[in-house]
Amino acid sequence: MTIDAHQHFWQYEPVKHSWIDDDMRVIRRDFMPNDLIGELKANAIDGCVAVQADQTLTETEFLIDLAAENNFIKGVVGWVDLRASTIKSDLEKLSNHTILKGFRHVVQGEPDHNFLLRKPFLNGIKELEPFGYTYDILIFPHQLGATLEFVKQFPNQKFVIDHIAKPYIKDGFYDGWATMMREIALLENVYCKLSGMITEADYKKWKPDDLSKYLDLVLTSFGSKRCLFGSDWPVCLVAGNYSQVKNLVTDFISGLSDNEQHNIMGNNAVEFYNL
């Protein structure tokens, strides 16, 4: 199967979605499964993984309900308060939903650069593995140092870095990000999503060449068995359409073997998220 390993749905609310600033106003509206299904068909995508955008259990339930109504949603990455003292029982309740594959916290928005290393959060992560849950790491490059220390503590936990850790492509910053990504990639339980890249470049002027060295670093470091294609739809729409996002990745990997391309475009997502 060809799988989009990272996209979102929401019913737009100005306060809840205040992160959608004026430069992103094109996505200040509802985005629901009916808005996506045509894009998936037009781009020969067989299914997707819906990822949380809001940090509430209501959001998790919203995505689970959408998946129940739309069989092209193959998995859900939700949110749960991993710092809660009740985390084990919370996970037990959620485990009744087999479509729920893992969790994410918007760590990029946390003012504490070492948020990932605080004991309550670590205690929550420790509870994921027995349930077979994954964890999506959403960070900015300045949090890569903490991320390296974080993932080292859980060698058997399945992690995936979202959006290649959001390098500052527009500004051309590369070396520090590249050094840390190489280090993290040495840990074989950590995967990386080829997603969310065009929105880190210049929205209006980006070209595939602007992204090539970043893609090359990730593919060389993580390999074709630990990279996953993701559209980051509808966020991607501030900088390009669905086809442009898909073609950016498929064109870049076109020189790989058929098997390697199939891994990146779907097989790895199926394996990682147990779809």
Side-chain angles (χ1 to χ4, degrees), residues 8-13 17 19-20 27-32 53 59 62 66 233-235:
H8 306 284
F9 299 113
W10 62 68
Q11 292 172 309
Y12 178 69
E13 297 177 29
H17 299 107
W19 57 270
I20 304 177
I27 58 171
R28 282 177 171 165
R29 65 175 183 86
D30 295 355
F31 287 95
M32 297 293 281
E59 169 89 342
F62 166 70
L66 290 183
W233 179 96
V235 181

PDB file of all heavy atoms in Angstrom, residues 8-13 17 19-20 27-32 53 59 62 66 233-235:
ATOM      1  N   HIS A   8      -3.682  15.775   8.881  1.00  0.00           N
ATOM      2  CA  HIS A   8      -4.523  16.257   9.977  1.00  0.00           C
ATOM      3  C   HIS A   8      -5.953  16.513   9.509  1.00  0.00           C
ATOM      4  O   HIS A   8      -6.198  16.764   8.323  1.00  0.00           O
ATOM      5  CB  HIS A   8      -3.980  17.582  10.531  1.00  0.00           C
ATOM      6  CG  HIS A   8      -2.548  17.539  10.939  1.00  0.00           C
ATOM      7  ND1 HIS A   8      -2.123  16.946  12.092  1.00  0.00           N
ATOM      8  CD2 HIS A   8      -1.436  18.022  10.327  1.00  0.00           C
ATOM      9  CE1 HIS A   8      -0.804  17.058  12.187  1.00  0.00           C
ATOM     10  NE2 HIS A   8      -0.370  17.707  11.121  1.00  0.00           N
ATOM     11  N   PHE A   9      -6.872  16.479  10.470  1.00  0.00           N
ATOM     12  CA  PHE A   9      -8.243  16.959  10.272  1.00  0.00           C
ATOM     13  C   PHE A   9      -8.562  17.928  11.393  1.00  0.00           C
ATOM     14  O   PHE A   9      -8.081  17.760  12.520  1.00  0.00           O
ATOM     15  CB  PHE A   9      -9.256  15.804  10.314  1.00  0.00           C
ATOM     16  CG  PHE A   9      -9.060  14.766   9.248  1.00  0.00           C
ATOM     17  CD1 PHE A   9      -8.669  13.468   9.571  1.00  0.00           C
ATOM     18  CD2 PHE A   9      -9.282  15.071   7.909  1.00  0.00           C
ATOM     19  CE1 PHE A   9      -8.497  12.507   8.596  1.00  0.00           C
ATOM     20  CE2 PHE A   9      -9.110  14.118   6.918  1.00  0.00           C
ATOM     21  CZ  PHE A   9      -8.713  12.830   7.257  1.00  0.00           C
ATOM     22  N   TRP A  10      -9.365  18.915  11.090  1.00  0.00           N
ATOM     23  CA  TRP A  10      -9.869  19.784  12.161  1.00  0.00           C
ATOM     24  C   TRP A  10     -11.124  20.526  11.720  1.00  0.00           C
ATOM     25  O   TRP A  10     -11.380  20.693  10.534  1.00  0.00           O
ATOM     26  CB  TRP A  10      -8.808  20.773  12.641  1.00  0.00           C
ATOM     27  CG  TRP A  10      -8.298  21.763  11.633  1.00  0.00           C
ATOM     28  CD1 TRP A  10      -8.972  22.805  11.054  1.00  0.00           C
ATOM     29  CD2 TRP A  10      -6.970  21.821  11.093  1.00  0.00           C
ATOM     30  NE1 TRP A  10      -8.157  23.507  10.207  1.00  0.00           N
ATOM     31  CE2 TRP A  10      -6.920  22.923  10.204  1.00  0.00           C
ATOM     32  CE3 TRP A  10      -5.818  21.054  11.287  1.00  0.00           C
ATOM     33  CZ2 TRP A  10      -5.758  23.269   9.505  1.00  0.00           C
ATOM     34  CZ3 TRP A  10      -4.675  21.402  10.587  1.00  0.00           C
ATOM     35  CH2 TRP A  10      -4.650  22.489   9.713  1.00  0.00           C
ATOM     36  N   GLN A  11     -11.894  20.929  12.722  1.00  0.00           N
ATOM     37  CA  GLN A  11     -12.990  21.874  12.541  1.00  0.00           C
ATOM     38  C   GLN A  11     -12.482  23.180  13.134  1.00  0.00           C
ATOM     39  O   GLN A  11     -12.312  23.298  14.346  1.00  0.00           O
ATOM     40  CB  GLN A  11     -14.256  21.357  13.232  1.00  0.00           C
ATOM     41  CG  GLN A  11     -14.808  20.117  12.531  1.00  0.00           C
ATOM     42  CD  GLN A  11     -15.946  19.465  13.282  1.00  0.00           C
ATOM     43  OE1 GLN A  11     -15.848  19.188  14.474  1.00  0.00           O
ATOM     44  NE2 GLN A  11     -17.039  19.183  12.582  1.00  0.00           N
ATOM     45  N   TYR A  12     -12.236  24.128  12.260  1.00  0.00           N
ATOM     46  CA  TYR A  12     -11.475  25.320  12.631  1.00  0.00           C
ATOM     47  C   TYR A  12     -12.154  26.157  13.706  1.00  0.00           C
ATOM     48  O   TYR A  12     -13.332  26.495  13.602  1.00  0.00           O
ATOM     49  CB  TYR A  12     -11.226  26.190  11.388  1.00  0.00           C
ATOM     50  CG  TYR A  12     -10.485  27.459  11.701  1.00  0.00           C
ATOM     51  CD1 TYR A  12      -9.140  27.407  12.091  1.00  0.00           C
ATOM     52  CD2 TYR A  12     -11.116  28.700  11.647  1.00  0.00           C
ATOM     53  CE1 TYR A  12      -8.455  28.579  12.409  1.00  0.00           C
ATOM     54  CE2 TYR A  12     -10.433  29.866  11.956  1.00  0.00           C
ATOM     55  CZ  TYR A  12      -9.104  29.798  12.340  1.00  0.00           C
ATOM     56  OH  TYR A  12      -8.433  30.950  12.663  1.00  0.00           O
ATOM     57  N   GLU A  13     -11.374  26.475  14.742  1.00  0.00           N
ATOM     58  CA  GLU A  13     -11.795  27.391  15.807  1.00  0.00           C
ATOM     59  C   GLU A  13     -10.644  28.368  16.045  1.00  0.00           C
ATOM     60  O   GLU A  13      -9.523  27.928  16.316  1.00  0.00           O
ATOM     61  CB  GLU A  13     -12.089  26.627  17.101  1.00  0.00           C
ATOM     62  CG  GLU A  13     -13.242  25.637  17.001  1.00  0.00           C
ATOM     63  CD  GLU A  13     -13.442  24.858  18.286  1.00  0.00           C
ATOM     64  OE1 GLU A  13     -13.114  25.413  19.366  1.00  0.00           O
ATOM     65  OE2 GLU A  13     -13.884  23.701  18.220  1.00  0.00           O
ATOM     66  N   HIS A  17      -7.053  26.985  17.304  1.00  0.00           N
ATOM     67  CA  HIS A  17      -6.072  26.893  16.221  1.00  0.00           C
ATOM     68  C   HIS A  17      -5.345  28.227  16.030  1.00  0.00           C
ATOM     69  O   HIS A  17      -5.078  28.638  14.900  1.00  0.00           O
ATOM     70  CB  HIS A  17      -6.773  26.452  14.932  1.00  0.00           C
ATOM     71  CG  HIS A  17      -7.427  25.112  15.054  1.00  0.00           C
ATOM     72  ND1 HIS A  17      -8.787  24.949  15.145  1.00  0.00           N
ATOM     73  CD2 HIS A  17      -6.893  23.868  15.130  1.00  0.00           C
ATOM     74  CE1 HIS A  17      -9.075  23.668  15.264  1.00  0.00           C
ATOM     75  NE2 HIS A  17      -7.945  22.987  15.261  1.00  0.00           N
ATOM     76  N   TRP A  19      -2.374  28.872  16.360  1.00  0.00           N
ATOM     77  CA  TRP A  19      -1.057  28.697  15.715  1.00  0.00           C
ATOM     78  C   TRP A  19      -1.132  28.961  14.208  1.00  0.00           C
ATOM     79  O   TRP A  19      -0.103  29.166  13.559  1.00  0.00           O
ATOM     80  CB  TRP A  19      -0.515  27.293  15.982  1.00  0.00           C
ATOM     81  CG  TRP A  19      -1.419  26.175  15.536  1.00  0.00           C
ATOM     82  CD1 TRP A  19      -2.397  25.585  16.288  1.00  0.00           C
ATOM     83  CD2 TRP A  19      -1.430  25.517  14.260  1.00  0.00           C
ATOM     84  NE1 TRP A  19      -3.025  24.600  15.551  1.00  0.00           N
ATOM     85  CE2 TRP A  19      -2.434  24.538  14.308  1.00  0.00           C
ATOM     86  CE3 TRP A  19      -0.676  25.663  13.088  1.00  0.00           C
ATOM     87  CZ2 TRP A  19      -2.729  23.702  13.228  1.00  0.00           C
ATOM     88  CZ3 TRP A  19      -0.956  24.828  12.014  1.00  0.00           C
ATOM     89  CH2 TRP A  19      -1.971  23.861  12.088  1.00  0.00           C
ATOM     90  N   ILE A  20      -2.338  28.969  13.652  1.00  0.00           N
ATOM     91  CA  ILE A  20      -2.503  29.274  12.229  1.00  0.00           C
ATOM     92  C   ILE A  20      -2.494  30.795  12.085  1.00  0.00           C
ATOM     93  O   ILE A  20      -3.522  31.456  12.243  1.00  0.00           O
ATOM     94  CB  ILE A  20      -3.799  28.660  11.664  1.00  0.00           C
ATOM     95  CG1 ILE A  20      -3.831  27.144  11.904  1.00  0.00           C
ATOM     96  CG2 ILE A  20      -3.929  28.958  10.176  1.00  0.00           C
ATOM     97  CD1 ILE A  20      -5.124  26.459  11.445  1.00  0.00           C
ATOM     98  N   ILE A  27      -5.473  28.159   5.425  1.00  0.00           N
ATOM     99  CA  ILE A  27      -5.971  26.943   6.087  1.00  0.00           C
ATOM    100  C   ILE A  27      -6.844  27.260   7.301  1.00  0.00           C
ATOM    101  O   ILE A  27      -7.098  26.395   8.135  1.00  0.00           O
ATOM    102  CB  ILE A  27      -4.828  25.969   6.470  1.00  0.00           C
ATOM    103  CG1 ILE A  27      -3.804  26.633   7.401  1.00  0.00           C
ATOM    104  CG2 ILE A  27      -4.146  25.443   5.205  1.00  0.00           C
ATOM    105  CD1 ILE A  27      -2.782  25.654   7.989  1.00  0.00           C
ATOM    106  N   ARG A  28      -7.337  28.496   7.369  1.00  0.00           N
ATOM    107  CA  ARG A  28      -8.278  28.857   8.434  1.00  0.00           C
ATOM    108  C   ARG A  28      -9.692  28.449   8.039  1.00  0.00           C
ATOM    109  O   ARG A  28     -10.560  29.277   7.779  1.00  0.00           O
ATOM    110  CB  ARG A  28      -8.210  30.353   8.717  1.00  0.00           C
ATOM    111  CG  ARG A  28      -7.009  30.774   9.549  1.00  0.00           C
ATOM    112  CD  ARG A  28      -6.957  32.274   9.731  1.00  0.00           C
ATOM    113  NE  ARG A  28      -5.941  32.671  10.699  1.00  0.00           N
ATOM    114  CZ  ARG A  28      -5.481  33.913  10.839  1.00  0.00           C
ATOM    115  NH1 ARG A  28      -5.971  34.884  10.059  1.00  0.00           N
ATOM    116  NH2 ARG A  28      -4.557  34.193  11.733  1.00  0.00           N
ATOM    117  N   ARG A  29      -9.894  27.171   7.978  1.00  0.00           N
ATOM    118  CA  ARG A  29     -11.222  26.611   7.673  1.00  0.00           C
ATOM    119  C   ARG A  29     -11.233  25.151   8.086  1.00  0.00           C
ATOM    120  O   ARG A  29     -10.205  24.601   8.493  1.00  0.00           O
ATOM    121  CB  ARG A  29     -11.545  26.759   6.184  1.00  0.00           C
ATOM    122  CG  ARG A  29     -10.660  25.966   5.234  1.00  0.00           C
ATOM    123  CD  ARG A  29     -11.159  26.101   3.798  1.00  0.00           C
ATOM    124  NE  ARG A  29     -10.405  25.329   2.839  1.00  0.00           N
ATOM    125  CZ  ARG A  29     -10.615  24.035   2.533  1.00  0.00           C
ATOM    126  NH1 ARG A  29     -11.550  23.341   3.178  1.00  0.00           N
ATOM    127  NH2 ARG A  29      -9.890  23.432   1.613  1.00  0.00           N
ATOM    128  N   ASP A  30     -12.384  24.509   7.982  1.00  0.00           N
ATOM    129  CA  ASP A  30     -12.489  23.093   8.321  1.00  0.00           C
ATOM    130  C   ASP A  30     -11.765  22.239   7.277  1.00  0.00           C
ATOM    131  O   ASP A  30     -11.798  22.549   6.075  1.00  0.00           O
ATOM    132  CB  ASP A  30     -13.953  22.651   8.355  1.00  0.00           C
ATOM    133  CG  ASP A  30     -14.746  23.332   9.459  1.00  0.00           C
ATOM    134  OD1 ASP A  30     -14.151  24.079  10.262  1.00  0.00           O
ATOM    135  OD2 ASP A  30     -15.977  23.103   9.522  1.00  0.00           O
ATOM    136  N   PHE A  31     -11.142  21.179   7.746  1.00  0.00           N
ATOM    137  CA  PHE A  31     -10.564  20.159   6.864  1.00  0.00           C
ATOM    138  C   PHE A  31     -10.978  18.796   7.394  1.00  0.00           C
ATOM    139  O   PHE A  31     -10.539  18.374   8.464  1.00  0.00           O
ATOM    140  CB  PHE A  31      -9.034  20.273   6.805  1.00  0.00           C
ATOM    141  CG  PHE A  31      -8.570  21.460   6.013  1.00  0.00           C
ATOM    142  CD1 PHE A  31      -8.270  22.653   6.648  1.00  0.00           C
ATOM    143  CD2 PHE A  31      -8.439  21.383   4.632  1.00  0.00           C
ATOM    144  CE1 PHE A  31      -7.849  23.758   5.918  1.00  0.00           C
ATOM    145  CE2 PHE A  31      -8.008  22.483   3.900  1.00  0.00           C
ATOM    146  CZ  PHE A  31      -7.717  23.667   4.534  1.00  0.00           C
ATOM    147  N   MET A  32     -11.829  18.135   6.625  1.00  0.00           N
ATOM    148  CA  MET A  32     -12.426  16.871   7.040  1.00  0.00           C
ATOM    149  C   MET A  32     -12.152  15.786   5.992  1.00  0.00           C
ATOM    150  O   MET A  32     -11.644  16.086   4.902  1.00  0.00           O
ATOM    151  CB  MET A  32     -13.927  17.084   7.250  1.00  0.00           C
ATOM    152  CG  MET A  32     -14.257  18.078   8.372  1.00  0.00           C
ATOM    153  SD  MET A  32     -13.803  17.460  10.012  1.00  0.00           S
ATOM    154  CE  MET A  32     -15.191  16.353  10.324  1.00  0.00           C
ATOM    155  N   ALA A  53      -3.720  17.440  16.231  1.00  0.00           N
ATOM    156  CA  ALA A  53      -3.291  18.831  16.113  1.00  0.00           C
ATOM    157  C   ALA A  53      -3.624  19.614  17.378  1.00  0.00           C
ATOM    158  O   ALA A  53      -3.087  20.690  17.601  1.00  0.00           O
ATOM    159  CB  ALA A  53      -3.957  19.493  14.906  1.00  0.00           C
ATOM    160  N   GLU A  59      -9.794  15.575  21.108  1.00  0.00           N
ATOM    161  CA  GLU A  59      -9.160  15.462  19.791  1.00  0.00           C
ATOM    162  C   GLU A  59      -8.911  13.996  19.425  1.00  0.00           C
ATOM    163  O   GLU A  59      -9.167  13.569  18.294  1.00  0.00           O
ATOM    164  CB  GLU A  59      -7.834  16.229  19.794  1.00  0.00           C
ATOM    165  CG  GLU A  59      -6.953  15.997  18.595  1.00  0.00           C
ATOM    166  CD  GLU A  59      -7.233  16.945  17.434  1.00  0.00           C
ATOM    167  OE1 GLU A  59      -8.313  17.566  17.406  1.00  0.00           O
ATOM    168  OE2 GLU A  59      -6.384  17.051  16.542  1.00  0.00           O
ATOM    169  N   PHE A  62     -12.155  12.445  18.532  1.00  0.00           N
ATOM    170  CA  PHE A  62     -12.580  12.996  17.244  1.00  0.00           C
ATOM    171  C   PHE A  62     -11.934  12.221  16.093  1.00  0.00           C
ATOM    172  O   PHE A  62     -12.611  11.812  15.133  1.00  0.00           O
ATOM    173  CB  PHE A  62     -12.190  14.480  17.212  1.00  0.00           C
ATOM    174  CG  PHE A  62     -12.229  15.152  15.872  1.00  0.00           C
ATOM    175  CD1 PHE A  62     -13.431  15.406  15.218  1.00  0.00           C
ATOM    176  CD2 PHE A  62     -11.051  15.583  15.268  1.00  0.00           C
ATOM    177  CE1 PHE A  62     -13.452  16.059  13.982  1.00  0.00           C
ATOM    178  CE2 PHE A  62     -11.061  16.244  14.050  1.00  0.00           C
ATOM    179  CZ  PHE A  62     -12.268  16.477  13.397  1.00  0.00           C
ATOM    180  N   LEU A  66     -13.649   9.658  13.310  1.00  0.00           N
ATOM    181  CA  LEU A  66     -13.491   9.847  11.864  1.00  0.00           C
ATOM    182  C   LEU A  66     -12.973   8.573  11.199  1.00  0.00           C
ATOM    183  O   LEU A  66     -13.406   8.213  10.098  1.00  0.00           O
ATOM    184  CB  LEU A  66     -12.531  11.008  11.574  1.00  0.00           C
ATOM    185  CG  LEU A  66     -13.014  12.419  11.900  1.00  0.00           C
ATOM    186  CD1 LEU A  66     -11.965  13.446  11.474  1.00  0.00           C
ATOM    187  CD2 LEU A  66     -14.350  12.730  11.216  1.00  0.00           C
ATOM    188  N   TRP A 233      -0.686  17.382   5.028  1.00  0.00           N
ATOM    189  CA  TRP A 233      -1.919  18.046   4.590  1.00  0.00           C
ATOM    190  C   TRP A 233      -2.816  18.250   5.799  1.00  0.00           C
ATOM    191  O   TRP A 233      -2.882  17.370   6.647  1.00  0.00           O
ATOM    192  CB  TRP A 233      -2.625  17.150   3.555  1.00  0.00           C
ATOM    193  CG  TRP A 233      -3.921  17.680   3.027  1.00  0.00           C
ATOM    194  CD1 TRP A 233      -4.120  18.373   1.883  1.00  0.00           C
ATOM    195  CD2 TRP A 233      -5.231  17.521   3.619  1.00  0.00           C
ATOM    196  NE1 TRP A 233      -5.457  18.669   1.726  1.00  0.00           N
ATOM    197  CE2 TRP A 233      -6.156  18.160   2.792  1.00  0.00           C
ATOM    198  CE3 TRP A 233      -5.715  16.920   4.796  1.00  0.00           C
ATOM    199  CZ2 TRP A 233      -7.515  18.207   3.081  1.00  0.00           C
ATOM    200  CZ3 TRP A 233      -7.059  16.966   5.085  1.00  0.00           C
ATOM    201  CH2 TRP A 233      -7.954  17.606   4.227  1.00  0.00           C
ATOM    202  N   PRO A 234      -3.523  19.344   5.955  1.00  0.00           N
ATOM    203  CA  PRO A 234      -3.600  20.488   5.048  1.00  0.00           C
ATOM    204  C   PRO A 234      -2.587  21.594   5.327  1.00  0.00           C
ATOM    205  O   PRO A 234      -2.599  22.613   4.634  1.00  0.00           O
ATOM    206  CB  PRO A 234      -5.015  21.000   5.303  1.00  0.00           C
ATOM    207  CG  PRO A 234      -5.233  20.745   6.765  1.00  0.00           C
ATOM    208  CD  PRO A 234      -4.527  19.436   7.049  1.00  0.00           C
ATOM    209  N   VAL A 235      -1.708  21.408   6.336  1.00  0.00           N
ATOM    210  CA  VAL A 235      -0.737  22.464   6.638  1.00  0.00           C
ATOM    211  C   VAL A 235       0.113  22.780   5.405  1.00  0.00           C
ATOM    212  O   VAL A 235       0.452  23.936   5.142  1.00  0.00           O
ATOM    213  CB  VAL A 235       0.152  22.066   7.834  1.00  0.00           C
ATOM    214  CG1 VAL A 235       1.140  23.180   8.161  1.00  0.00           C
ATOM    215  CG2 VAL A 235      -0.705  21.751   9.062  1.00  0.00           C
TER     216      VAL A 235
END
